[in-house]
């Protein structure tokens, strides 16, 4: 971007201060703490950041374009690769959008299972966030402690569906498999242990003087600015805005469950840190309630579409019920699915994860747009980083909880 | 004192062999401190640490050494070749020289100079050159930032370090480390720690900063500066920097044990309580104290986050320097009374 470069040069020479000698430094895409392949072009004056420009696209896989040539069901495994740290949330978000388009309602057990794994994934994602964030600020031990617990949650995922990261467990109309009773019991036993572990992390960090000095008053963003930049999730709630898709636009089993939305006050790194820790506690609470209230019955809706949307096996059943909506060849221009546009959002681990689907009636999306929170959050990075030190930039990247897989799609 | 040629040869040979012994022991210690650090941090972080090479992973330092020595020696294109090669040597030599004036035993010292503490402070100051040159000669901006940081850090932490040592020197009325230990053994508490708690704490914090250890490991802050001034170094040159860091840890641990904890002597009240302690060889007493501080270095690294650059400077100039002067004032006051 040559014109941008010129602008900063002008700034450089027009300054009155003769000692103002900024230099440019490229941070990333291969750098230990840019969380993936984020590249930052920094203009530094000593250690102070004069200008910061994120460059993204190093992990671009054309996911949205790819989705246009696949049937609705085939797109689901692609969404695993968005925010690969909490794949359950992505799957649920996409499945929910398609369900709303097709008018399918998952059975209660499917809903509760989906909510349970989503919250477990949120805890796993926040654990990874805490681990890397603490490592960036230099607390090495927290990093390994968090990974220890995250490993257990991934083991539960393995028990539930066979995969650890790219799970594809939730599907359109419910979940793919039922869960064994033993697994549920093990998860239930894990919850109090996890609470204890959270206290352990807090003991290491929350009142640590160095941690307080590094996080308080750094990367401050006011509530109005946070809304203007489109921040969502814990990054917004840290500034004191109580916005949570789970509360405001409830989906799945959330209306039946009792939980709070923790908010911060000052909008600095420390408040966002506290916010996420409280959120983990709430997630554990939700998982507990889910297991206690778990209804029995089928886990997936009868009229859930097949991989090729043909419903070859279920066609007679659906016909008998008068649901002919999904019968037919997917890529013909017939009324397989309703026409129209639809935006549906879930509360992902990083923020509001939205799926915008344009349907032209065929079995594949005409256009699929993903509102990825990481992408939006990166746009706030220059605002947060300007005037801070280079060391703070690392903690600011950490506090926004960026995943490049989701940002570049 | 007039020496004839026979005495000269005798003295030279003696110093030479003493030097060899100290260097051998110290290199062994440095290598196994790396192993101990990995094991201890492993235990703290609920993992195992090295255990594949040899029984309990005991041969790991050897394997690391072989790896470092056989790696390709990379010289960056932009680097200043001469300075790039000089920097690690400079750092290592200035660190090792410190060992020559440290007494390990009442009679075992390579060079019994009368201003031992001053020699150590002087060489600690020179060690900064190695770091700055390493950062400057690499021709990389990350290295340069790391080098600049550490220069500022080491210089500003040398002031409280020196002033807190002034209290010790005043108490013993000598610059010789041997005399300092003797003076402590004859004092009321048997160690400088008790009348000079403030000085001890200031010195301890400064020791962390001087050796670039966590929570003051800013020069090599891996999260923002990759590896600071060492970013472009690889193979045995990086190994030299590493060795320098570990030996300087030992120098600081030895210095703090000698100056504040009474070195190889035990406090008189402890001896009167448990007379059997008199049988312990003095070297062992010193070693226990030194190992305690090495363990502390490792423990702190596993526990604390890292300070930011400006906070580090603020701590030095606004907290530690006034405190060290306060300590000096207290010592002076008591010296006047007695």
């Amino acid at each position: 971007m040559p014109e941008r470069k010129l602008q900063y040069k002008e700034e450089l020479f027009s300054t009155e201060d003769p000692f103002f000698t900024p230099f440019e430094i490229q941070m990333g895409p291969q750098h230990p703490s840019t969380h993936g392949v984020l590249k930052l072009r920094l203009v530094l004056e000593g250690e102070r950041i004069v200008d910061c420009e994120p460059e993204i696209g190093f992990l671009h896989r054309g996911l949205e374009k790819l989705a246009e040539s696949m049937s609705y069901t085939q797109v689901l495994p692609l969404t695993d690769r968005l925010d690969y740290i909490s794949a359950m949330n992505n799957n649920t978000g996409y499945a929910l959008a398609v369900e709303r388009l097709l008018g399918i309602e998952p059975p209660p057990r499917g809903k509760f299972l989906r909510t349970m794994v989503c919250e477990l994934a949120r805890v796993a994602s926040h654990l990874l966030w805490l681990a890397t964030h603490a490592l960036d600020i230099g607390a090495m031990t927290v990093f390994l402690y968090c990974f220890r617990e995250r490993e257990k949650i991934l083991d539960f995922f393995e028990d539930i569906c066979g995969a650890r990261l790219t799970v594809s467990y939730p599907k359109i109309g419910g979940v793919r498999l039922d869960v064994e009773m033993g697994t549920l019991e093990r998860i239930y036993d894990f919850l109090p242990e996890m609470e204890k572990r959270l206290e352990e992390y807090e003991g290491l960090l929350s009142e640590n003087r160095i941690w307080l000095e590094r996080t308080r008053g750094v990367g401050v963003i006011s509530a109005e600015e946070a809304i203007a930049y489109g921040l969502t999730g814990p990054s917004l709630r840290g500034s004191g805005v109580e916005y949570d898709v789970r509360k405001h636009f409830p989906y799945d089993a959330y209306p039946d469950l009792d939980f709070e939305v923790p908010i911060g006050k000052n909008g600095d790194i420390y408040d966002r840190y506290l916010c996420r820790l409280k959120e983990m506690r709430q997630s554990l609470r939700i998982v507990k309630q889910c297991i206690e209230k778990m209804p029995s019955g089928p886990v997936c809706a009868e009229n859930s579409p097949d991989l090729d949307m043909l419903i070859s096996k279920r066609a007679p059943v659906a016909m008998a019920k008068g649901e002919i909506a999904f019968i037919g060849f997917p890529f013909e221009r017939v009324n397989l699915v309703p026409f129209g546009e639809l935006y549906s959002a879930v509360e992902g681990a990083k923020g509001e994860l939205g799926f915008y689907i344009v349907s032209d009636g065929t079995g594949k999306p005409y256009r699929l747009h993903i509102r990825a929170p990481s992408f939006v959050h990166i746009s706030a990075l220059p605002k947060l980083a300007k005037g801070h030190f280079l060391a703070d930039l690392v903690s600011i990247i950490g506090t926004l909880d960026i995943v490049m897989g989701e940002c570049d799609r | 004192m007039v020496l004839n040629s026979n005495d000269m040869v005798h003295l030279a040979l003696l110093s030479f062999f003493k030097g060899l012994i100290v260097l051998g022991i110290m290199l062994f210690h440095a290598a196994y401190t790396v192993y101990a650090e990995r094991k201890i941090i492993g235990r703290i972080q609920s993992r195992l640490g090295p255990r594949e090479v040899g029984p309990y992973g005991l041969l790991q330092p050897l394997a690391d050494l072989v790896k470092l020595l056989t790696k390709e020696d990379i010289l960056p294109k932009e680097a200043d070749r001469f300075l790039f090669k000089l920097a690690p040597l400079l750092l290592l030599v200035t660190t090792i020289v410190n060992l020559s004036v440290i007494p390990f035993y009442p009679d075992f010292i390579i060079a019994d100079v009368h201003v031992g503490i001053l020699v150590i402070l002087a060489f600690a100051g020179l060690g900064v050159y190695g770091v700055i040159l390493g950062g400057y000669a690499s021709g990389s901006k990350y290295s340069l930032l790391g080098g600049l940081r550490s220069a500022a850090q080491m210089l500003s932490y040398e002031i409280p370090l020196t002033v807190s040592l002034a209290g010790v020197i005043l108490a013993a009325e000598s610059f010789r480390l041997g005399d300092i230990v003797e003076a402590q053994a004859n004092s009321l508490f048997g160690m400088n720690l008790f009348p000079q708690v403030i000085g001890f704490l200031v010195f301890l914090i400064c020791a962390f900063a001087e050796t670039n250890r966590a929570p003051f490991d800013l020069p090599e802050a891996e999260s923002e500066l990759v590896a600071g001034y060492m970013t472009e170094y690889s193979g045995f040159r990086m190994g030299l920097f590493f060795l320098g860091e570990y030996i300087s840890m030992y120098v600081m641990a030895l210095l703090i044990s000698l100056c504040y904890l009474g070195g190889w002597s035990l406090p008189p009240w402890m001896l009167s309580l448990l007379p059997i302690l008199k049988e312990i060889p003095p070297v062992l007493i010193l070693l226990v104290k030194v190992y305690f501080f090495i363990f502390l270095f490792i423990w702190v690294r596993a526990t604390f986050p890292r300070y930011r650059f400006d906070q580090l400077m603020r701590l030095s100039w606004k907290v530690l320097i006034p405190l060290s002067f306060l300590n000096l004032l207290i010592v002076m006051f008591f010296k006047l009374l007695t």
Side-chain angles (χ1 to χ4, degrees), chain A residues 1 4-13 15 20-27 39-55 382 385-391 393, chain B residues 141-142 145:
Chain A
M1 279 162 253
R4 169 125 191 141
K5 227 174 174 177
L6 278 177
Q7 194 194 334
Y8 113 71
K9 284 256 162 72
E10 257 168 38
E11 222 171 88
L12 195 160
F13 292 118
T15 351
F20 185 72
T21 49
F23 66 97
E24 208 175 299
I25 193 167
Q26 311 286 334
M27 191 171 166
K39 180 181 171 188
L40 295 168
R41 175 187 287 162
L42 297 175
V43 181
L44 293 180
E45 143 62 4
E47 292 240 346
R48 208 172 274 280
I49 295 161
V50 179
D51 196 7
C52 160
E53 184 189 351
E55 279 179 31
K386 224 166 263 181
H388 279 303
F389 287 98
L390 181 63
L393 177 67
Chain B
K141 283 170 184 170
Y142 285 105
L145 274 176

Side-chain angles (χ1 to χ4, degrees), chain B residues 101-132:
Chain B
V101 293
I102 289 178
F104 297 91
Y105 189 76
D107 301 322
F108 190 93
I109 179 166
I110 298 171
D112 192 5
V113 288
H114 288 281
V115 286
I117 284 192
L118 287 187
V119 170
I120 289 175
L121 288 174
F123 278 103
L126 275 178
V128 183
Y129 271 109
V131 172
I132 294 187

Side-chain angles (χ1 to χ4, degrees), chain A residues 110-310:
Chain A
K111 280 184 176 179
F112 271 83
L113 278 177
R114 223 151 71 169
T115 308
M116 186 188 81
V117 291
C118 276
E119 291 306 315
L120 280 177
R122 191 186 312 282
V123 174
S125 166
H126 282 0
L127 278 177
L128 190 89
W129 159 80
L130 182 62
T132 50
H133 189 40
L135 188 67
D136 286 345
I137 298 186
M140 196 167 51
T141 304
V142 181
F143 174 74
L144 284 134
Y145 283 1
C146 289
F147 262 75
R148 183 181 60 193
E149 268 73 64
R150 180 169 174 266
E151 200 63 21
K152 285 184 183 161
I153 295 179
L154 294 188
D155 282 345
F156 291 142
F157 287 167
E158 198 178 349
D159 285 354
I160 290 171
C161 66
R164 291 160 61 86
L165 271 179
T166 50
V167 283
S168 287
Y169 177 61
K171 72 182 249 191
I172 299 163
V175 292
R176 191 149 53 84
L177 296 158
D178 202 351
V179 180
E180 283 174 20
M181 204 55 213
T183 311
L184 283 184
E185 271 165 20
R186 252 176 295 146
I187 295 173
Y188 197 76
D189 292 341
F190 168 73
L191 298 176
E193 187 197 325
M194 184 67 219
E195 290 263 359
K196 247 181 254 162
R197 296 298 186 195
L198 281 175
E199 268 163 38
E200 202 177 301
Y201 310 147
E202 285 213 80
L204 273 170
L205 296 177
S206 286
E207 280 161 28
N208 188 324
R209 272 187 67 95
I210 303 178
W211 180 264
L212 288 175
E213 284 196 27
R214 287 297 304 273
T215 54
R216 268 201 189 151
V218 178
V220 181
I221 190 161
S222 70
E224 290 79 30
E225 279 172 326
I227 292 171
Y229 273 100
L231 300 191
T232 45
S235 308
L236 176 67
R237 291 194 283 272
S239 301
V241 183
E242 200 183 346
Y243 171 70
D244 191 321
V245 182
R246 292 175 296 173
K247 272 272 185 229
H248 289 80
F249 307 99
Y251 54 95
D252 281 358
Y254 288 111
D256 306 331
L257 301 170
D258 180 31
F259 65 98
E260 285 159 23
V261 180
I263 55 167
K265 211 170 81 185
N266 305 320
D268 56 4
I269 295 181
Y270 187 68
D271 274 24
R272 288 190 280 268
Y273 154 79
L274 282 185
C275 223
R276 285 198 174 93
L277 277 183
K278 284 180 195 156
E279 230 177 86
M280 277 198 254
R281 293 218 162 83
Q282 293 299 326
S283 290
L284 295 177
R285 215 174 124 195
I286 295 174
V287 174
K288 194 175 175 211
Q289 290 177 44
C290 276
I291 297 176
E292 279 165 358
K293 291 183 183 172
M294 184 71 71
S296 53
V299 292
C300 190
E302 282 270 305
N303 48 1
S304 159
D306 274 347
L307 204 58
D308 52 358
M309 307 269 308
L310 278 174

Side-chain angles (χ1 to χ4, degrees), chain B residues 246-322:
Chain B
Y246 279 88
I247 293 183
S248 73
M249 259 165 77
Y250 270 97
V251 170
M252 280 298 157
L254 276 165
L255 205 57
I256 198 167
S257 315
L258 290 171
C259 292
Y260 286 96
L261 291 189
W264 55 77
S265 68
L266 280 173
W269 52 268
M270 206 186 268
L271 288 178
S272 59
L273 273 175
L274 285 165
I276 197 162
L277 288 176
K278 274 180 192 158
E279 305 301 318
I280 302 175
V283 176
L284 210 62
I285 296 172
L286 184 64
L287 265 186
V288 169
K289 289 171 182 172
V290 169
Y291 286 164
F292 168 74
F293 283 108
I294 295 293
F295 178 74
L296 194 70
F297 275 118
I298 296 169
W299 187 12
V300 165
R301 185 180 165 206
T303 314
F304 283 123
R306 186 181 300 120
Y307 261 113
R308 204 173 63 203
F309 184 65
D310 59 318
Q311 291 164 346
L312 181 94
M313 295 307 241
R314 202 168 58 213
L315 182 73
S316 168
W317 291 96
K318 291 191 176 167
V319 181
L320 293 182
I321 292 180

